Each structure stands twice: as structure tokens, then as C-alpha cells.
Amino acid sequence: MLKRIAMLSAHTSPLEQPGDGDAGGMNVYVLELSRQLASRGIEVEIFTRATSRHQPQLVEAAPGILVHHVPAGPFEGLQKNDLPSQLCSFVRDVLRAEVEREPGHFDLVHSHYWLSGQVGTVARERWNVPLVHTMHTMAKVKNAMLADGDDAEPIGRIYGEEEIVRLADRLIANTMEERRELIELYDAEPEHVAVVHPGVDLEVFRAGRQAAARSLLGIPEDAALLLFAGRIQPLKAPDVVIEAAARMLHDDPALRERLVVAIVGGASGSGLDRPTALTDLSERLGIQDVVRFVPTVAQSDLADWYAAASVVCVPSHNESFGLVAIEAQACGTPVVAARVGGLSTAVSDGVSGILVDGHDPRDYAAALHPLLTDPELREAMSHKAVRHAESFGWDVTADRTLKVYAEAIEWHRTHVEKNA
């Protein structure tokens, strides 16, 4: 019986605010999955790197969920690419958590992102427990779809991911496309890769409240609200949203009376190197009067922004899934997104939103304009968006993940016995 899981999220804490720094969809994934597991009577201990000397070493995030803040390198000032050099310290403290308990304290390790996967391979061997790994993003895929201004992922990450694929008992892919990439690009054994879609909190992200949300946020009732939500970095392509808005205003000057473009999120990754890039762009295009920049907000506040929006745009160069797209649709808001990665699963093209090939702002303007100006089209897509999102509840994600855990435990047991 599965009693206790070690959840590894080395580079970003599930307690951090998504949309800022390195915090994003993965943070939501780890915490929501842990909550679902805890509700089923499974204890979850999450290990993440401490980023402040003021953080307590141990936090009860919710009943049945403990978060360990592991000291590993300087608390502040480290970028994600600096973290591989600190993994030895992180591994040491993770392994110590087992040493200080009775043997067999953990039944399974679930690691997230390649840095955690490296730690997971060591824990798997030392604790003799199965390792389940979720990539979230992959270097070979990112390097094939780099945005202007983004740096290529280092070869060390590629080697690390290849090792994780070879050693993990099971791999969880967010979509069939990601499964294919793991098999074709990383030589993963097909029977070791399971597809489990991430979920959405259908109690927080809910539809039918646009007027109330707009009143709360100070958005005019008749506004055509175009929303981008996420980390501000080239990978997420918020510049495409601003350029598409400028194109729409050029082609339809009357839209200026109602258009509001909200960019919600904080700088991350290479976006930290150019903190004023988007404000400079909006000024250069002459649309600074319609663009509103909003710092990262809590999930409940983000739900208000989704509900208030006429359409949400997700023009990312790559997404392993795209939680923003599902969250927006759960709030009854159609999505215009890039036809990349998991967004092809997250958005039902022509039904709950529109998928766009490439990243030409003119193509996004053409897709966005009807949803901003045609109430009947938007209303029709809104209802379908809600129905589409309802199939992505976190309870479904947890049930499917538990099946993967059971497969990993059985495979690990028989494999270890055969090689004993």
C-alpha cells in the first residue's frame, strides 16, 4: 500500500507565487497533485531549494503535505542555470531525510523537471524505491523552438535528461505529443511513458461572472479585454500580443475606444535582462494608452482576470501543456494560442479557441479580432470552453497518476528481484 511519497521540486517551490521568477505551471501542478494525494490518505513530503534564510526548514502546506526547504548554495542571486552546481548539497539533505527516519520511510519518489530528476535517480538507488519523473519541459524540444533573445539549453541538461529517461521506472508525459518526443528524441521505452494531463481547480476557475470580475478589477463593462498571463520572457512571447494589438488598432481604429490589453505576470529567465522591453515596445508602437501591466497576482485574483477577459492569448514558442489555457477556458474565456506542444491538447481548435501556426502578429490579430468584436461568436465559444475544461479536473489527474505509481512499484519490484 502506498503510504508516503517524496516529491522533488528542486528549482522552484510549490509555495511560490506562479507567474513570477521561475514559478509557473509546474508549481501549481506539484501542489495540486499533492493535495489530491493527501486527500486520499497518502502523505507527501516535498523537497525544494531554500531561497531565503528566513524560510522555515519545514512547512505544513496542508494536512498531509510537508514542504522541506533545503539549503543548497547561496539563498539569493542564483539563476536556474546556476543550480546544477548546487545539486550535491541538495542530494545530501534529501537523503538525510530518509536516514533520520525508519527504513522504508518513502514508498516512491516523484521528481519534476530535470534538476529534480537528477536527485531522484540517486534517491531511487539509495532508498531502493521506484522513481517516477515528469519532465515538464525538455531541452531538445526547447532548443528546436527558441524565441529571439532566448539562450539554448546547455548540453549538460540534455545529458542529464537522457540519464533520467534511462533510469526512471516510469515517465509521465503531459500529452501524447510529449510522449512521442520522449520516445523519438530521448529513446524512452514506450511502455515506460504514460500520458497524464495536468488539471485545473474547477472551484477557483469558474465561469459566469464576467460583469462582477470587471467591476472588481476596474475594467469598463463594454471593454474588449485582451489578456496575457504568465512569466514575462521571450519563450512566452508576450511581445506577440502587444504587436497583434497594434495591428488590430491599425486595421480597426474604432476598436481603440474599447480595447484594453492586460499583461499579467513578472519577469523571468532571459526576460530579467530586459525588464522594460514590453513597455518600450508598446510606446514604440504607440499603444501605451491601451496596455496595462499588472504584477503577478494570486490564483484567486488571476481567476478574476480570466473571467473578466474577452479572450486570452497564449502565443508561447513552446509549452509542455499550457495551464493558462485550461484555466482561462474553465472561466468561460476563449483562448487564442500557438499550435505548439501541449497547447494543441489544451485548446480545442475552432471549438473552445483558435490555434495559430507560427508567431506572426498579423495571424494573431486575425484570430483575436473576431473574438473581441463579435459577442455571439465569443458567447458560443465560451460555453464550449467551459465544457472542454471540465474534463481536466485535478481529481482525474490524481487518479491517473496513482495508476502510474502502481505500475512503477510493480515494475521496480519485479526488476529488482530479477537482478538481485
Side-chain angles (χ1 to χ4, degrees):
M1 179 180 175
L2 191 61
K3 297 179 180 177
R4 190 175 295 107
I5 293 171
M7 199 80 74
L8 307 182
S9 181
H11 82 283
T12 179
S13 169
L15 302 182
E16 294 295 326
Q17 177 64 57
D20 214 359
D22 289 325
M26 195 185 93
N27 298 63
V28 176
Y29 185 112
V30 171
L31 187 57
E32 293 299 332
L33 175 59
S34 297
R35 284 174 173 160
Q36 288 289 331
L37 296 174
S39 72
R40 290 160 169 76
I42 300 169
E43 295 179 26
V44 182
E45 296 191 27
I46 304 171
F47 295 83
T48 188
R49 194 182 76 86
T51 56
S52 168
R53 66 183 70 254
H54 303 297
Q55 286 175 312
Q57 289 188 349
L58 195 63
V59 175
E60 185 180 29
I65 305 174
L66 294 177
V67 177
H68 297 259
H69 291 118
V70 179
F75 290 112
E76 293 91 16
L78 282 184
Q79 300 298 317
K80 188 161 59 176
N81 289 339
D82 299 324
L83 295 181
S85 63
Q86 309 301 325
L87 284 185
C88 286
S89 298
F90 191 85
V91 168
R92 180 193 63 220
D93 275 34
V94 169
L95 296 182
R96 183 182 296 158
E98 169 84 0
V99 172
E100 294 174 348
R101 270 71 168 266
E102 292 295 321
H105 183 72
F106 293 112
D107 300 306
L108 179 140
V109 176
H110 188 171
S111 54
H112 299 266
Y113 192 66
W114 79 278
L115 292 169
S116 299
Q118 291 280 281
V119 180
T121 60
V122 179
R124 174 188 185 270
E125 181 177 348
R126 290 289 296 273
W127 298 344
N128 190 26
V129 296
L131 170 65
V132 174
H133 180 74
T134 305
M135 285 289 189
H136 294 282
T137 64
M138 292 178 281
K140 291 181 181 180
V141 176
K142 289 185 72 174
N143 285 350
M145 310 176 82
L146 282 178
D148 291 340
D150 255 353
D151 297 325
E153 294 296 316
I155 190 66
R157 174 178 175 180
I158 294 175
Y159 291 155
E161 290 175 342
E162 290 174 340
E163 181 181 45
I164 295 162
V165 169
R166 180 171 56 85
L167 295 176
D169 298 275
R170 283 293 184 273
L171 298 165
I172 291 180
N174 289 331
T175 63
M176 287 298 295
E177 174 68 9
E178 186 179 348
R179 182 179 187 273
R180 182 191 65 77
E181 291 164 345
L182 280 164
I183 294 168
E184 295 183 1
L185 300 179
Y186 288 87
D187 294 324
E189 295 288 342
E191 62 271 21
H192 285 189
V193 187
V195 176
V196 180
H197 299 318
V200 60
D201 189 333
L202 296 171
E203 294 183 3
V204 173
F205 300 99
R206 61 191 193 281
R209 54 195 187 90
Q210 186 182 81
R214 289 190 170 191
S215 175
L216 185 66
L217 297 171
I219 303 295
E221 186 177 343
D222 66 342
L225 176 57
L226 168 59
L227 174 66
F228 169 92
R231 289 171 293 176
I232 308 302
Q233 61 181 127
L235 175 70
K236 303 294 185 180
D239 56 303
V240 172
V241 180
I242 292 175
E243 291 186 25
R247 170 59 59 175
M248 286 189 289
L249 292 178
H250 176 272
D251 295 341
D252 180 9
L255 181 61
R256 196 177 207 108
E257 295 179 6
R258 298 192 303 115
L259 183 64
V260 177
V261 181
I263 308 293
V264 179
S268 173
S270 54
L272 293 167
D273 299 331
R274 300 175 60 204
T276 65
L278 293 184
T279 54
D280 293 344
L281 176 62
S282 62
E283 290 175 4
R284 188 165 66 251
L285 294 173
I287 64 168
Q288 66 272 23
D289 56 314
V290 303
V291 180
R292 182 183 300 189
F293 293 96
V294 181
T296 305
V297 297
Q299 289 288 90
S300 58
D301 296 325
L302 182 58
D304 290 332
W305 278 103
Y306 289 142
S310 306
V311 60
V312 170
C313 189
V314 188
S316 305
H317 289 269
N318 182 47
E319 287 285 355
S320 61
F321 185 66
L323 277 179
V324 164
I326 289 294
E327 291 169 350
Q329 290 168 94
C331 292
T333 304
V335 174
V336 171
R339 195 190 302 273
V340 297
L343 288 170
S344 297
T345 299
V347 177
S348 181
D349 190 22
V351 178
S352 65
I354 300 170
L355 294 175
V356 178
D357 295 310
H359 295 84
D360 189 329
R362 291 172 295 185
D363 294 332
Y364 283 85
L368 290 165
H369 188 267
L371 287 166
L372 290 167
T373 58
D374 186 340
E376 292 184 1
L377 174 63
R378 186 199 174 281
E379 187 68 16
M381 275 201 169
S382 173
H383 290 300
K384 294 172 184 176
V386 174
R387 288 199 295 271
H388 179 64
E390 285 174 346
S391 63
F392 291 92
W394 279 112
D395 56 337
V396 176
T397 301
D399 288 341
R400 292 176 178 171
T401 301
L402 283 170
K403 291 181 180 178
V404 178
Y405 289 169
E407 293 171 2
I409 290 170
E410 179 60 23
W411 190 90
H412 187 84
R413 183 183 63 80
T414 56
H415 181 75
V416 169
E417 287 180 357
K418 187 172 68 174
N419 291 279

